[in-house]
């Protein structure tokens, strides 16, 4: 689990440990895997009291099962993780509130139907209410609401829930659940889903409980750069007003160009009663596209540069990196009930029904949102940049990417469906416009670490994969591509752009002897050796607290500034055979702080681009993103 280094996976592991400890102490709440005791009989309130009491035995259990380097990140000692479970926006708090909201809504609708003598719908609602409050699996409830991890660690599963109008059957246990990456295409509003011998039509994007008209969904923004056409994605709400720089060419994209996207974390609802399953294929087949968006919290595993046949290639592997899957269809969405239709093809009715089957209070289409569906997920990423003008051609690089995916799968014996890829434009000094870099990533939920095997210090693994990719496109006889080489079911939308001959000609130029090239960062740090770290700041939250423990008088000026995680305290550093002893150092930021005059002691560091300061200087500000003002 911890090798995956996925935040959502780790936090669900913490939830699992905490819940198992609670259920061991209160078996009556677990009730033999019966969720009624937790949801209807005060069990959840008892759980909240238990966790808010911050029991020490639970903390010790978590510290044993969580690696020490993650204790501070997830707030094990101070129980900060509790808010993510039972806080206002906690995973279990939202699930319980949603359950209670659905019960209350069904009860209100049932009373309304009885007053209107609508006995047919009343019977259906009464059956639905009994089913909802009946004996169902507690573990299943926790898994479906992303509180507990599931097999394969899918951390973002959502459901297409069947609406109240459906005729219920005795013993009915139909569940339509998908990972969110797939759900935004398969369960998109307007889609038809065949299950249990019936055809269900998705129509509503479910809102967060008790959020009113605003803040009902997680909203992001998407657009293609007008300059380089690279897709951009942003979670910042100010992007729509202020604009933002393109991640590829760096030019400003005006705010009005950014389109709203909705992340449907609570899933979808069907429309009306289901129909008998037709013989034909369902009408709707919504498409999505994956884009690399990067992540400031990603962890760089390796970044290497090689020369081969007079050309350069850069290989980079990262973990906890981010990609976004964005739907290609734009929807008109009601902010009151979540009713959504295709903005281009479906009829814009002045009046529409809410999920309960009654007229929605929002009757003006002008007040509805235009939005796409989106989802951001984290995984392992391998980034391959061929520094050549040939990388300007999209079709060539697309063909090379799929050849490499096939080569990676076959050479390293990885299931092909566990690997995906996309193209991402990057600036290169040899061209006046961005070239296409290949992004390969783990399609397994949370990431399994497959693609990190591609990037090694000697480039041996990369060369093997490249040769296997050449075999894939070189030993086929098709024109331009077929299912034996580059095509598969999942890339059917680009079949006409895939050309094995283009991929073959490109890859052949990169087969040869790979010679490492030192990057600028490696050149600047060459000759620097960190010999020791005499004292450790671990366990001290602020500089004032650390200074008091070690009798350092000068740290009071930083007050309660948090201690950065990448800080070395009292290190001995050998630079070009010279021993340097600063008080503190941040190698990643090239910053060192000394007790006295730094002119002589730190000259070698300053030559390598380091910023060196005197501990007595008032200009020094220490925080998580070091500034000198």
């Amino acid at each position: 689990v911890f090798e995956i280094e996925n935040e959502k996976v780790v936090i669900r592991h913490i939830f699992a440990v905490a819940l198992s400890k609670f259920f061991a102490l209160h078996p009556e709440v677990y009730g033999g895997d019966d969720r009624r005791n937790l949801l209807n009989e005060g069990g959840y309130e008892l759980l909240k009291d238990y966790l808010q009491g911050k029991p020490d035995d639970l903390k010790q259990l978590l510290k044993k099962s969580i690696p020490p380097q993650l204790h501070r990140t997830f707030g094990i000692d101070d129980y900060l993780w509790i808010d993510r479970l039972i806080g206002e926006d906690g995973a279990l708090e939202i699930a319980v509130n949603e359950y209670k909201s659905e019960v209350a809504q069904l009860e209100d609708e049932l009373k309304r139907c009885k007053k209107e003598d609508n006995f047919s719908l009343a019977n259906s609602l009464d059956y639905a209410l009994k089913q909802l409050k009946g004996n169902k699996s507690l573990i299943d409830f926790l898994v479906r609401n992303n509180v507990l991890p599931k097999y394969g660690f899918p951390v973002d599963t959502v459901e297409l829930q069947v609406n109240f109008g459906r005729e219920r059957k005795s013993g009915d246990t139909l569940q339509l659940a998908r990972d969110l990456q797939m759900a935004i295409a398969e369960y998109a509003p307007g889609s038809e889903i065949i299950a249990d011998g019936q055809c269900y039509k998705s129509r509503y994007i479910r809102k967060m409980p008790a959020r009113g008209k605003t803040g009902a969904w997680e909203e992001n923004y998407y657009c293609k750069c007008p300059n380089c056409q690279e897709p951009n994605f942003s979670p910042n709400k100010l992007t729509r007003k202020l604009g933002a720089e393109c991640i590829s060419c760096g030019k400003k994209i005006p705010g009005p160009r950014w389109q709203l996207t909705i992340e449907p974390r609570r899933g979808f609802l069907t429309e009306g009663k289901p129909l008998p399953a037709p013989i034909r294929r369902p009408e709707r087949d919504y498409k999505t596209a994956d884009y690399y968006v990067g992540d400031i919290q990603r962890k760089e595993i390796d970044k290497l540069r090689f020369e081969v046949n007079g050309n350069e290639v850069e290989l980079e592997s990262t973990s906890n990196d981010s990609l976004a899957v964005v739907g290609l269809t734009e929807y008109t969405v009601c902010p009151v009930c979540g009713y959504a239709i295709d903005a281009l093809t479906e009829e814009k009715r002045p009046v529409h029904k809410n999920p309960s089957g009654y007229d929605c209070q929002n009757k003006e289409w002008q007040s509805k949102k235009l939005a796409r569906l989106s989802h951001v997920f984290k995984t392992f990423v391998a980034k391959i940049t061929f520094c050549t003008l040939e990388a300007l051609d999209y079709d060539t690089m697309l063909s090379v990417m799929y050849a490499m995916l096939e080569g990676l799968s076959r050479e390293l014996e990885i299931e092909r469906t566990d690997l995906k890829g996309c193209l991402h434009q990057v600036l290169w000094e040899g061209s006046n416009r961005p070239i296409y870099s290949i992004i390969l990533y783990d399609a397994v939920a949370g990431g399994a670490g497959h693609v990190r095997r591609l990037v090694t210090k000697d480039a041996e693994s990369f060369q093997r994969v490249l040769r296997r990719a050449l075999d894939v496109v070189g030993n086929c006889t098709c024109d331009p591509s077929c299912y034996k080489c580059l095509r598969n079911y999942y890339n059917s939308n680009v079949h006409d752009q895939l050309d094995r001959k283009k991929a073959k000609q490109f890859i052949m130029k990169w087969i040869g002897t790979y010679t490492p090239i030192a990057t600028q960062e490696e050149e600047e740090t060459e000759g620097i050796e960190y010999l020791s770290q005499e004292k450790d700041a671990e366990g001290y939250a602020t500089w004032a607290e650390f200074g008091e423990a070690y009798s350092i008088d000068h740290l009071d000026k930083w007050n309660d500034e948090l201690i950065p995680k990448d800080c070395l305290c009292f290190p001995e550093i050998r630079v070009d055979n010279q021993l340097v002893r600063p008080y503190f150092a941040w190698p990643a930021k090239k910053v060192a702080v000394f007790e006295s005059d730094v002119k002589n002691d730190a000259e070698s560091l300053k030559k390598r681009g380091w910023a060196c300061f005197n501990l007595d200087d008032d200009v020094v500000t220490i925080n998580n993103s070091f500034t000198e003002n």
Side-chain angles (χ1 to χ4, degrees):
V1 170
F2 300 110
E3 179 65 21
I4 293 173
E5 297 178 352
N6 184 295
E7 181 182 1
K8 293 178 182 178
V9 173
V10 177
I11 197 66
R12 278 157 180 73
H13 172 81
I14 294 174
F15 294 167
V17 173
L19 288 170
S20 64
K21 180 66 175 177
F22 170 74
F23 290 140
L25 295 173
H26 299 279
E28 73 280 4
V29 176
Y30 180 67
D33 195 25
D34 185 351
R35 72 179 191 180
R36 290 178 299 181
N37 295 350
L38 179 74
L39 299 178
N40 303 325
E41 300 176 16
Y44 181 59
E45 288 69 24
L46 184 62
L47 170 64
K48 293 178 74 171
D49 290 341
Y50 168 73
L51 293 178
Q52 288 168 351
K54 299 180 179 180
D56 186 68
D57 56 344
L58 175 57
K59 179 172 72 174
Q60 299 307 319
L61 183 60
L62 287 171
K63 294 180 78 169
K64 289 179 180 179
S65 64
I66 305 291
Q69 63 269 27
L70 298 179
H71 288 178
R72 177 178 291 183
T73 302
F74 291 93
I76 301 300
D77 287 314
D78 49 14
Y79 275 80
L80 290 179
W81 58 268
I82 288 181
D83 279 344
R84 300 180 65 169
L85 180 64
I86 60 171
E88 183 179 354
D89 293 318
L92 187 54
E93 177 77 7
I94 290 175
V96 172
N97 286 343
E98 189 173 74
Y99 167 81
K100 292 181 178 179
S101 175
E102 191 172 352
V103 169
Q105 185 180 359
L106 279 172
E107 290 175 340
D108 290 343
E109 295 296 341
L110 182 59
K111 292 178 182 177
R112 183 173 177 177
C113 286
K114 289 180 177 179
K115 286 183 179 180
E116 297 175 355
D117 294 333
N118 188 347
F119 297 111
S120 175
L121 183 56
N123 289 335
S124 179
L125 290 171
D126 184 56
Y127 180 81
L129 186 60
K130 290 179 180 178
Q131 286 288 95
L132 184 62
K133 298 175 70 174
N135 182 2
K136 288 188 178 181
S137 169
L138 172 60
I139 292 177
D140 182 63
F141 172 80
L142 297 173
V143 168
R144 288 165 59 191
N145 286 282
N146 298 313
V147 177
L148 296 182
K150 193 176 180 181
Y151 173 74
F153 303 110
V155 291
D156 290 303
T157 55
V158 298
E159 281 189 271
L160 171 64
Q161 292 196 356
V162 179
N163 219 330
F164 306 141
R166 180 185 175 210
E167 295 180 2
R168 308 281 174 163
K169 300 178 183 178
S170 178
D172 194 351
T173 58
L174 178 65
Q175 292 181 9
L176 301 172
R178 288 286 187 276
D179 185 273
L180 196 45
Q181 292 184 47
M182 297 183 291
I184 64 172
E186 294 185 27
Y187 295 162
S191 295
E192 293 181 337
I193 296 90
I194 306 297
D196 195 25
Q198 294 181 299
C199 180
Y200 302 90
K201 193 165 189 174
S202 176
R203 179 55 64 198
Y204 301 88
I205 304 173
R206 295 185 67 201
K207 297 174 62 178
M208 301 289 279
R211 293 295 181 95
K213 290 188 177 182
T214 60
W217 302 284
E218 290 194 24
E219 298 181 349
N220 298 291
Y221 300 92
Y222 159 86
C223 77
K224 284 191 175 182
C225 174
N227 179 56
C228 67
Q229 299 302 308
E230 176 70 14
N232 282 253
F233 193 86
S234 172
N236 190 345
K237 292 185 177 181
L238 293 177
T239 303
R240 195 75 175 266
K241 295 182 179 180
L242 305 178
E245 292 182 353
C246 173
I247 57 174
S248 289
C249 67
K251 293 192 176 180
K252 183 72 172 289
I253 304 175
R257 285 188 174 270
W258 293 83
Q259 295 177 294
L260 176 68
T261 71
I262 291 174
E263 190 159 18
R265 290 193 168 273
R266 305 314 298 168
F268 304 87
L269 278 170
T270 61
E271 176 183 33
K273 296 181 179 180
L275 300 174
I279 300 177
R280 61 172 174 79
R281 182 181 177 181
E283 293 181 359
R284 294 292 179 180
D285 187 17
Y286 289 103
K287 301 294 184 182
T288 61
D290 293 356
Y291 306 114
Y292 176 72
V293 297
D295 195 310
I296 59 174
Q297 295 180 338
R298 68 183 182 273
K299 179 181 177 182
E300 183 180 291
I301 301 173
D302 275 311
K303 187 173 184 179
L304 309 167
R305 203 175 182 93
F306 298 92
E307 187 273 334
V308 55
N309 301 330
N311 298 313
E312 293 184 9
V313 60
E314 186 174 272
L315 309 178
E316 182 179 2
S317 63
T318 54
S319 63
N320 204 40
D321 216 340
S322 294
L323 290 98
V325 53
V326 180
L328 303 183
T329 304
E330 192 169 36
Y331 295 95
T332 304
V333 185
C334 174
V336 175
C337 68
Y339 181 88
I341 62 172
D342 188 319
L344 294 178
T345 62
E346 295 190 79
E347 179 185 356
K348 297 178 176 61
R349 306 185 187 97
V351 178
H352 62 275
K353 304 290 185 182
N354 62 23
S356 302
Y358 295 95
D359 289 345
C360 179
Q361 298 176 356
N362 181 23
K363 299 179 181 180
E364 298 295 331
W365 278 105
Q366 288 77 6
S367 65
K368 294 172 175 61
K369 296 174 179 283
L370 279 174
R372 297 173 184 243
L373 299 180
S374 69
H375 170 52
V376 177
F377 60 97
K378 293 191 175 186
T379 186
F380 284 90
V381 166
K383 183 178 179 182
I384 306 160
T385 305
F386 296 100
C387 302
T388 173
L389 291 175
E390 292 179 88
L392 288 168
D393 185 71
Y394 180 83
D395 289 356
T396 296
M397 299 311 295
L398 190 67
S399 302
V400 172
M401 182 190 78
Y402 280 110
M404 293 200 65
L405 283 169
E406 293 294 337
L408 180 61
S409 171
R410 300 180 191 187
E411 181 63 28
L412 301 185
E413 298 181 346
I414 302 169
E415 180 65 38
R416 177 61 182 85
T417 54
D418 288 349
L419 301 169
K420 282 188 177 182
C422 64
L423 297 182
H424 173 67
Q425 295 187 84
V426 296
L427 291 175
W428 175 52
E429 61 272 14
S431 173
N432 58 1
R433 60 190 180 97
I435 61 174
Y436 288 102
S437 180
I438 294 175
I439 303 292
L440 307 181
Y441 60 93
D442 290 348
V444 181
H450 293 316
V451 296
R452 67 184 299 179
R453 297 165 58 191
L454 183 66
V455 183
T456 57
K457 300 289 185 183
D458 56 3
E460 191 271 336
S461 181
F462 178 72
Q463 293 177 74
R464 286 168 46 208
V465 169
L466 211 56
R467 291 190 181 95
R468 180 58 71 93
L470 184 59
D471 288 341
V472 170
V473 295
N475 295 328
C476 195
T477 58
C478 67
D479 188 18
S481 63
C482 69
Y483 281 87
K484 290 183 180 180
C485 54
L486 300 180
R487 297 185 182 185
N488 58 55
Y489 170 79
Y490 301 100
N491 63 13
S492 57
N493 59 319
V494 294
H495 278 181
D496 58 340
Q497 295 173 270
L498 300 179
D499 190 326
R500 70 170 186 86
K501 293 181 179 178
K502 287 184 177 180
K504 177 184 176 181
Q505 292 172 359
F506 184 93
I507 294 174
M508 287 178 63
K509 298 178 182 179
W510 299 89
I511 302 295
T513 303
Y514 277 63
T515 304
I517 301 173
T519 63
Q520 182 180 359
E521 183 176 334
E522 289 172 339
E523 291 171 351
E524 290 173 345
T525 58
E526 186 179 354
I528 298 180
E529 181 182 2
Y530 303 100
L531 300 179
S532 68
Q533 184 176 341
E534 294 181 8
K535 292 185 176 66
D536 194 350
E538 186 70 27
Y540 298 96
T542 66
W543 284 107
E545 188 179 329
F546 179 77
E548 183 178 350
Y550 291 105
S551 302
I552 303 174
D553 298 329
H554 309 286
L555 299 185
D556 56 343
K557 69 180 67 176
W558 295 325
N559 299 321
D560 291 328
E561 289 282 356
L562 298 179
I563 298 178
K565 297 176 184 178
D566 58 351
C567 173
L568 299 180
C569 300
F570 304 106
E572 285 189 350
I573 305 176
R574 188 183 300 280
V575 187
D576 296 330
N577 296 321
Q578 177 184 351
L579 198 61
V580 178
R581 296 185 178 90
Y583 254 40
F584 310 107
W586 290 265
K589 301 179 178 70
K590 295 185 180 179
V591 172
V593 178
F594 293 81
E595 181 183 15
S596 55
D597 189 5
V598 303
K599 290 183 180 179
N600 298 323
D601 220 8
E603 195 62 34
S604 55
L605 282 178
K606 295 174 71 175
K607 287 180 180 178
R608 297 181 180 277
W610 283 56
C612 300
F613 296 96
N614 187 335
L615 194 62
D616 294 322
D617 289 342
D618 291 330
V619 299
V620 180
T621 300
I622 305 295
N623 54 37
N624 285 321
S625 55
F626 184 89
T627 58
E628 44 180 292
N629 50 24

